[in-house]
Amino acid sequence: MSKPVQLRGEVLDVRRSGSYFVISMTAPGIPEQTRPGHFLNIGIGGEDSSMLLRRSFAIHQVQERGMYGGTLEIVVGVNGKGSQWLADRKRHDTVSVVGPLGRPFVLPKQPVACVLVGGGYGSAPLFMLAEQLRERGCRVDVVIGAATEDKLFGVLDIKRLASSLTITTDDGSLGEQGRVTDVLPEVMERHDAGVVYACGPMGMLAAVAHIAGNHRAHSQCSVEESMACGVGVCMTCVLPVVGDDGLTRMVRSCTDGPVFRGDRVRWSDVGTIPDDVVGAPQVGGH
Amino acid sequence: MTRVVFASADPNSSDIRAVEVDMSTDLGTLELPAPVLTASGCAAAGKELDQFFDITELGAIVTKSVMLKPRSGRATPRMAETPSGMLNSIGLQGPGIDQFIEHDLAWLAQRGARTIVSIAGGSVDEYAKLAQRLRNVPGVAGLEVNISCPNVENRGQVFACHAGTAAQVVQAVKRFADPKMPILAKLSPDVTDIAEIADAVVRAGATGISVMNTTLGMVIDLDSMRPALAGVTGGLSGPAIRPIAVRCVWQIRQALPHIPILGMGGIRSGEDALQFILAGANAVSIGTVIFNDPSAPLRIQEELAQALAIRGFTSVSEAVSFAHRSATAEVGVEVSEEDQDGQ
């Protein structure tokens, strides 16, 4: 079990990658505990910031030892004032970091063929995962997709880690025109994949889990729910997930996830309280 | 006693002093070794935060409001960030009292943390049953009665908004709880006269007042052009509401000079906490800022000791209600009758 560390990380580098920013920073105590799929969160704007909520990011790369001790990298897509503030950091700036957080991807004990699917910067946590799967003797095929070429992340780097790489873009600006889920069945069949790992938007994850199910493959999906605390105390990031006992509960993405078995998440009910969830409001009740 | 070491406020002085500050306080019969608690709903049942600091160092953990039965809460989105705050509509998701006692409370007791259990109900009867269920359960130092959560459906019927219904709930809890159990009634700021509600719940048997809960707010999402929260409205919390909370503490302290007050609302630093104490709070709770800084409660407790020491206080109790002192009691200002007569 990892134990999250709260620290001030020093920014070592901020570099552009397509439409994203890759930020590397010192984070002593986090790299040695990090497994693929773990995330961290970052405080925005300093001690008196009016933006109180920490922003969560999948951990992209870690280095346990080096010139700066433990360091790590995250991939930031700017979609608001908070992420813009982060992208504007300069070398030697410090930021508040808490991590590693969440439950990481579960790795197979047998050397089965795996397909890794990333949507947009959802490919960020798949690099570490690909390395570790290969170390276990698993075949690793990767499918990444995005709306446009500039919204793909890490094409060249992941090519080196994968047995094959299939790229899709909505507009056809790179790779095949279409979505990752258009090509996924064929990639799975070609290599007789036993496990699919996915990280990206909810809609993509729902479709990936469905396809994996059709192929009798296991799926591990890392969800992106908006979180306030990231450490399990605020109860904002819940989604309906079926437990071992067959009952559906509203569970926290931050501490029970962000990685869930694809066949356990009730994808079409995300954003609702299903009638049969444990503790659902009774008709006529409050 | 907490030992505080600080440099002189005079920048030309290299004087470094160490003083002892007595951080113990009480909420009536509930004696606390320290004045900083967690706010209900912002610390779950303590376990997650114990990864970041020793929760037994705090005055107490106030647990997330628990109801009789398991409850799923509301649909997502459940929160929206707002300037210096956030809006939430969780809908009292929780495991129900039996699971809570078996797992959460048992863990807190074993951990040695003082625990105040927050209870919430949809009816007076539900509050009574909760109070009864918690009788003779080990590890309960006090009850906080959440009569002011704006998230329960049937919003027009929030107990805290009327003196009569607020008092009914407290009376029922008082009747069914352990007779010696300290009972704090947690009030909503969304009322015309908060001192009147405070007076009613004290008459109904509350040991003290927790003030305040979130205030009702709303955000419209400009992409969907619909309410940002699935629950439409939500409770606003964080530093944005701090002045409202300080005002509520002040008004209740003026109306009820001797009643214990647990103050909360947007506290982010030890100096913020000191404002509440000076306004009349005997202890304070830390809420939303935990989401920003999971170590905040203990950090703020340490900063508060410093903030007290810098101002010459040697105990929390000396500072409670200090802002209410009359002008003639001004520290260091001796006003003689002759002077007042202008002679």
Side-chain angles (χ1 to χ4, degrees):
Chain A
M1 256 322 249
S2 57
K3 183 178 184 291
V5 182
Q6 182 176 5
L7 54 85
R8 287 208 73 84
E10 182 182 339
V11 173
L12 298 173
D13 183 45
V14 181
R15 65 175 194 275
R16 284 298 288 251
S17 173
S19 60
Y20 304 113
F21 296 83
V22 180
I23 302 181
S24 59
M25 63 184 82
T26 63
I30 297 181
E32 45 271 54
Q33 296 194 77
T34 299
R35 286 159 56 194
H38 270 138
F39 70 101
L40 54 73
N41 65 22
I42 293 185
I44 300 298
E47 277 177 25
D48 292 315
S49 171
S50 70
M51 288 181 275
L52 285 185
L53 303 184
R54 305 177 71 85
R55 275 30 171 197
S56 296
F57 301 91
I59 299 174
H60 171 47
Q61 298 282 19
V62 293
Q63 195 174 8
E64 282 184 36
R65 277 176 291 276
M67 203 199 302
Y68 303 98
T71 62
L72 54 78
E73 286 184 357
I74 57 167
V75 180
V76 178
V78 172
N79 51 19
K81 287 180 187 170
S83 44
Q84 183 65 60
W85 179 87
L86 201 51
D88 290 341
R89 292 309 87 204
K90 300 279 176 275
R91 186 174 161 79
H92 301 312
D93 285 348
T94 64
V95 290
S96 164
V97 183
V98 173
L101 297 169
R103 288 192 183 177
F105 289 112
V106 175
L107 305 186
K109 291 194 174 72
Q110 311 294 327
V112 295
C114 301
V115 179
L116 279 49
V117 185
Y121 66 105
S123 58
L126 303 181
F127 292 64
M128 251 196 288
L129 177 65
E131 280 175 46
Q132 296 195 11
L133 287 171
R134 289 188 71 120
E135 280 167 20
R136 288 173 179 237
C138 298
R139 181 187 167 92
V140 175
D141 295 283
V142 176
V143 180
I144 60 173
T148 52
E149 183 185 353
D150 66 320
K151 290 199 163 62
L152 292 164
F153 175 74
V155 175
L156 292 176
D157 287 328
I158 204 148
K159 211 167 191 170
R160 289 188 290 108
L161 296 167
S163 300
S164 77
L165 171 65
T166 311
I167 295 167
T168 65
T169 48
D170 292 357
D171 65 352
S173 50
L174 193 70
E176 295 185 32
Q177 181 165 13
R179 302 192 159 196
V180 289
T181 45
D182 296 335
V183 301
L184 179 59
E186 196 210 313
V187 174
M188 287 186 71
E189 279 155 30
R190 199 187 313 146
H191 308 294
D192 194 21
V195 186
V196 180
Y197 293 92
C199 181
M202 281 295 186
M204 184 200 97
L205 297 178
V208 168
H210 183 72
I211 292 167
N214 287 346
H215 287 77
R216 305 219 170 127
H218 182 83
S219 61
Q220 291 265 306
C221 297
S222 179
V223 303
E224 252 192 42
E225 265 288 344
S226 59
M227 299 172 184
C229 75
V231 300
V233 295
C234 78
M235 304 304 287
T236 63
C237 62
V238 298
L239 75 175
V241 174
V242 181
D244 290 335
D245 56 5
L247 298 176
T248 303
R249 292 178 181 78
M250 300 304 293
V251 306
R252 295 165 291 188
S253 306
C254 63
T255 50
D256 296 293
V259 178
F260 292 100
R261 275 176 57 169
D263 60 343
R264 292 294 182 84
V265 177
R266 289 176 57 171
W267 299 103
S268 57
D269 293 323
V270 170
T272 72
I273 301 293
D275 289 343
D276 61 342
V277 79
V278 172
Q282 306 295 306
V283 176
H286 48 77
Chain B
M1 296 294 267
T2 297
R3 190 177 160 81
V4 180
V5 180
F6 60 94
S8 167
D10 178 358
N12 299 318
S13 166
S14 59
D15 186 22
I16 292 174
R17 287 190 289 161
V19 294
E20 302 274 316
V21 179
D22 180 0
M23 294 294 278
S24 67
T25 187
D26 67 80
L27 292 165
T29 52
L30 175 57
E31 291 186 7
L32 301 170
V36 174
L37 291 71
T38 59
S40 177
C42 298
K47 199 173 186 176
E48 293 83 359
L49 296 186
D50 201 39
Q51 301 175 106
F52 296 98
F53 64 91
D54 179 355
I55 59 166
T56 66
E57 298 267 314
L58 295 182
I61 296 291
V62 183
T63 54
K64 178 171 173 62
S65 297
V66 64
M67 303 186 81
L68 266 186
K69 292 182 179 157
R71 196 174 153 102
S72 64
R74 288 181 175 276
T76 54
R78 289 179 168 187
M79 62 98 176
E81 192 174 48
T82 60
S84 292
M86 70 178 281
L87 202 60
N88 88 83
S89 170
I90 310 297
L92 294 171
Q93 178 170 347
I97 189 70
D98 292 338
Q99 291 284 311
F100 171 79
I101 290 171
E102 192 183 332
H103 296 114
D104 300 319
L105 206 48
W107 182 85
L108 282 158
Q110 180 263 327
R111 181 70 183 85
R114 283 159 299 280
T115 303
I116 295 177
V117 176
S118 172
I119 56 173
S123 64
V124 172
D125 186 51
E126 187 171 358
Y127 285 101
K129 285 189 172 126
L130 285 161
Q132 192 164 35
R133 183 70 184 80
L134 285 160
R135 277 182 89 128
N136 305 317
V137 173
V140 185
L143 299 181
E144 186 176 80
V145 189
N146 178 3
I147 54 171
S148 51
C149 185
N151 279 340
V152 287
E153 290 172 34
N154 209 358
R155 288 209 167 85
Q157 299 296 315
V158 174
F159 296 100
C161 290
H162 303 282
T165 50
Q168 267 179 5
V169 170
V170 172
Q171 208 162 34
V173 171
K174 180 74 185 166
R175 189 178 312 137
F176 287 93
D178 201 315
K180 287 183 180 154
M181 183 63 69
I183 297 168
L184 303 169
K186 186 166 179 181
L187 304 190
S188 164
D190 297 342
V191 296
T192 311
D193 181 359
I194 199 160
E196 182 204 345
I197 313 275
D199 186 57
V201 294
V202 167
R203 284 171 194 272
T207 320
I209 303 290
S210 287
V211 70
M212 64 186 223
N213 208 317
T214 57
T215 181
L216 208 55
M218 191 166 170
V219 169
I220 303 283
D221 181 283
L222 292 183
D223 292 326
S224 66
M225 294 195 276
R226 289 183 183 281
L229 300 184
V232 182
T233 59
L236 181 64
S237 63
I241 65 165
R242 189 194 311 133
I244 303 175
V246 174
R247 178 268 295 176
C248 287
V249 170
W250 174 273
Q251 287 179 331
I252 294 169
R253 177 54 74 221
Q254 272 198 321
L256 302 166
H258 304 297
I259 198 75
I261 298 177
L262 175 59
M264 70 206 74
I267 296 173
R268 190 174 198 170
S269 68
E271 293 191 344
D272 296 343
L274 182 56
Q275 280 199 47
F276 281 76
I277 288 169
L278 296 173
N282 302 80
V284 295
S285 279
I286 309 304
T288 298
V289 72
I290 291 172
F291 305 158
N292 176 258
D293 170 12
S295 323
L298 196 57
R299 168 179 61 78
I300 290 168
Q301 189 160 286
E302 284 159 5
E303 288 172 0
L304 174 61
Q306 187 108 14
L308 287 162
I310 286 169
R311 288 162 183 81
F313 292 108
T314 57
S315 68
V316 171
S317 55
E318 279 174 13
V320 173
S321 302
F322 194 73
H324 290 264
R325 72 195 181 283
S326 61
T328 51
E330 200 64 52
V331 182
V333 179
E334 300 275 334
V335 182
S336 67
E337 282 181 26
E338 288 83 356
D339 287 341
Q340 279 180 341
D341 292 344
Q343 290 171 356

